[in-house]
Amino acid sequence: MDRVALRGLRARGYHGVFPHEREEGQTFVVDLTLGLDTRPAAADDDLAKTVHYGIVAEEVVGIVEGEPVNLIETLAERIAQACLKHDGVQEVEVSVHKPNAPITVPFDDVTVTITRSRV
């Protein structure tokens, strides 16, 4: 299976279990790896035979900026399901980063990574 990756998609969201996270919001970062067969697109040099990653990126940002959820696990699941709706995408790996998570000790990042497939 071939891979198309998008790294570092950034959007402001209002996700979290604490009131201040819902009120103030914060930046979330999303990485995606889409699994699909790119041979038909490459053979015909045809965008319609692959995934349009620009559209996927816009949809992901829309999900992050959209309806708030408590958990980044839920956010990752919503993103994965949206990606799998694209024709040809057989599998997706989604990492949601929450670099400003409410943790009281020094840290670099909090990340949830999930893999989903049509099968």
Side-chain angles (χ1 to χ4, degrees), residues 35-102:
L36 65 154
D37 183 358
T38 63
R39 288 176 291 193
D44 294 338
D45 199 25
D46 186 351
L47 176 61
K49 294 182 178 180
T50 188
V51 64
H52 191 309
Y53 51 78
I55 291 173
V56 172
E58 291 171 0
E59 290 173 356
V60 169
V61 167
I63 292 167
V64 174
E65 292 176 342
E67 180 184 349
V69 296
N70 289 331
L71 305 176
I72 57 175
E73 291 87 341
T74 306
L75 187 60
E77 185 67 33
R78 287 182 177 179
I79 292 167
Q81 293 308 314
C83 291
L84 289 172
K85 289 181 181 176
H86 287 268
D87 290 338
V89 175
Q90 298 300 308
E91 182 179 273
V92 61
E93 180 181 274
V94 178
S95 294
V96 176
H97 302 258
K98 190 174 181 180
N100 297 308

Side-chain angles (χ1 to χ4, degrees), residues 21-39:
E21 294 180 290
R22 295 292 184 105
E23 294 165 8
E24 298 169 20
Q26 60 190 290
T27 298
F28 292 84
V29 182
V30 177
D31 300 325
L32 300 174
T33 302
L34 307 170
L36 65 154
D37 183 358
T38 63
R39 288 176 291 193

